[in-house]
Amino acid sequence: MALSVKHLLGINELTEKDIDLIFATADNFKQVLKRDIKKVPALRDTTVANIFFENSTRTRLSFELAEKRLGADVVNFSASGSSVSKGETLIDTVNNILAMKVDMVVMRHSASGAPWFLSQNIDACVINAGDGINQHPTQALLDAFSIREKLGSVKGRRVAIIGDIMHSRVALSNIYCLTKLGAEVVVAGPPTLIPKHIASLGVRVEYDIRKALEWCEVANVLRIQLERMHKPLFSTLREYATYYGINKKLLDGISNDIVVMHPGPINRGVELNSDVADGERSVILQQVENGVAIRMAVIYLLSGKRDPSIQSARPAHLQ
Ligand code: CP
């Protein structure tokens, strides 16, 4: 059983069966990660380059750990401190890395579409680790996997994606992933941070945060991305926190039990207060933990390698 894609560029390119296969494979890798020796030798003849043209903590470490847990050789590249500052082009940079016999490239870039451009110009497999305001496919997969783990399923679940939808690659990938898996999705936030035609993606728009929270089972709270706002889209952070910030007092006043998620990094006291981020409703660190298993699954499946011990543990319908 293999994925229907050669690269992972965006969730919209995956089928529901692809996502099921990634989840079933990640289930197996979660078991591996609970062992004393948290490694399998499946990719011991594979070299992966992590090339990050934009800052990252979670995604970069998670990919590196996933690759090492699979036994791959890993090289890391950051644009800062590299020859990019001397004017080297993206293709020249990547071709020089590939000349060192690299099989797979994990890429983060501030330009939307950069991983797609790369996939058209090199032979190696490309995995998108976040491109501009476009997509962050492995984040959406780990988010949906975490919902499935916490609530038993994704199908039919009511998920609110709250905050800066306009500038969020996490929002777009989550919308594609959750709707593909049969969840109901509401996007909520100030009108200036919600794209005008977003309802065409099969989601409902809600500007009243309390109403969104009263409706949902899962609230995925997104970071306010000030670095991508080139003009003011709300008055002050304090005003944003007052009208759209999620805090314990607000959630305590709502009758339903809500699972709170955030992809990180968190602006504490703005979109999410510490009394929720560190509270019992939060699964934020479980999301990070699941990220390693999900990325192991994506890398393993895209590598085309077949390890019988990983394969045989899959449910029969995915064999
Ligand atoms: N969630 C996420 O992409 O975090 P980083 O920017 O730290 O990788």
Side-chain angles (χ1 to χ4, degrees):
M1 185 83 192
L3 293 177
S4 66
V5 291
K6 184 180 167 223
H7 309 279
L8 179 57
L9 303 174
I11 293 284
N12 50 320
E13 296 174 359
L14 297 178
T15 62
E16 191 182 340
K17 211 167 176 183
D18 286 331
I19 299 174
D20 283 346
L21 179 60
I22 292 168
F23 285 2
T25 310
D27 285 336
N28 295 334
F29 285 130
K30 272 209 87 165
Q31 296 310 313
V32 171
L33 294 173
K34 284 181 189 152
R35 292 189 208 146
D36 289 341
I37 297 172
K38 302 172 177 55
K39 282 186 111 165
V40 288
L43 266 70
R44 67 188 154 197
D45 58 350
T46 302
T47 303
V48 187
N50 299 311
I51 60 171
F52 278 64
F53 292 82
E54 205 186 63
N55 294 343
S56 169
T57 298
R58 279 146 291 271
T59 311
R60 185 178 173 146
L61 288 177
S62 181
F63 267 112
E64 185 173 347
L65 210 49
E67 292 147 10
K68 288 180 172 169
R69 301 282 196 229
L70 288 166
D73 290 323
V74 179
V75 287
N76 290 309
F77 166 89
S78 291
S80 59
S82 76
S83 290
V84 169
S85 62
K86 299 175 196 165
E88 189 163 61
T89 66
L90 172 60
I91 289 293
D92 278 345
T93 299
V94 172
N95 277 332
N96 276 275
I97 294 169
L98 291 176
M100 300 177 213
K101 306 284 178 247
V102 166
D103 305 292
M104 209 177 258
V105 176
V106 174
M107 183 199 215
R108 170 168 288 192
H109 203 286
S110 57
S112 300
W116 176 85
F117 173 74
L118 197 64
S119 73
Q120 301 295 302
N121 286 283
I122 64 170
D123 288 332
C125 165
V126 178
I127 299 177
N128 181 1
D131 64 324
I133 59 167
N134 182 34
Q135 290 221 36
H136 192 347
T138 55
Q139 180 69 47
L141 289 167
L142 75 88
D143 288 347
F145 185 79
S146 301
I147 293 172
R148 168 183 175 267
E149 183 176 74
K150 184 75 183 169
L151 300 178
S153 65
V154 178
K155 194 176 172 65
R157 296 295 176 189
R158 299 185 304 280
V159 183
I161 305 174
I162 298 175
D164 184 357
I165 310 297
M166 176 86 78
H167 303 100
S168 175
R169 53 196 177 209
V170 176
L172 188 58
S173 285
N174 258 270
I175 289 168
Y176 283 133
C177 190
L178 292 168
T179 54
K180 217 173 264 276
L181 295 176
E184 288 181 66
V185 180
V186 157
V187 294
T192 49
L193 293 181
I194 297 185
K196 211 170 173 185
H197 302 292
I198 194 124
S200 66
L201 297 177
V203 300
R204 189 163 64 78
V205 177
E206 179 59 77
Y207 299 120
D208 183 329
I209 291 295
R210 182 177 285 275
K211 281 189 187 162
L213 292 170
E214 275 164 356
W215 169 84
C216 74
E217 297 169 279
V218 179
N220 196 353
V221 185
L222 302 182
R223 182 170 72 88
I224 291 298
Q225 303 201 27
L226 292 171
E227 76 278 16
R228 296 193 200 279
M229 293 181 200
H230 305 300
K231 58 181 179 184
L233 294 172
F234 51 85
S235 300
T236 60
L237 289 176
R238 191 168 166 175
E239 184 197 83
Y240 184 89
T242 303
Y243 292 103
Y244 299 100
I246 309 297
N247 56 60
K248 187 169 182 299
K249 189 170 169 217
L250 176 61
L251 294 184
D252 285 348
I254 282 159
S255 56
N256 42 325
D257 226 3
I258 295 174
V259 177
V260 176
M261 307 175 76
H262 192 300
I266 305 170
N267 291 309
R268 285 179 183 257
V270 182
E271 72 265 4
L272 192 61
N273 273 19
S274 292
D275 56 12
V276 178
D278 306 326
E280 60 197 19
R281 297 175 176 97
S282 166
V283 294
I284 293 170
L285 293 180
Q286 285 97 305
Q287 288 172 260
V288 176
E289 185 183 335
N290 286 334
V292 178
I294 282 289
R295 290 178 175 117
M296 284 174 82
V298 167
I299 294 164
Y300 170 74
L301 291 166
L302 286 174
S303 76
K305 305 275 187 271
R306 290 298 166 256
D307 182 323
S309 64
I310 295 163
Q311 203 80 12
S312 63
R314 283 195 198 128
H317 75 285
L318 291 173
Q319 294 285 341

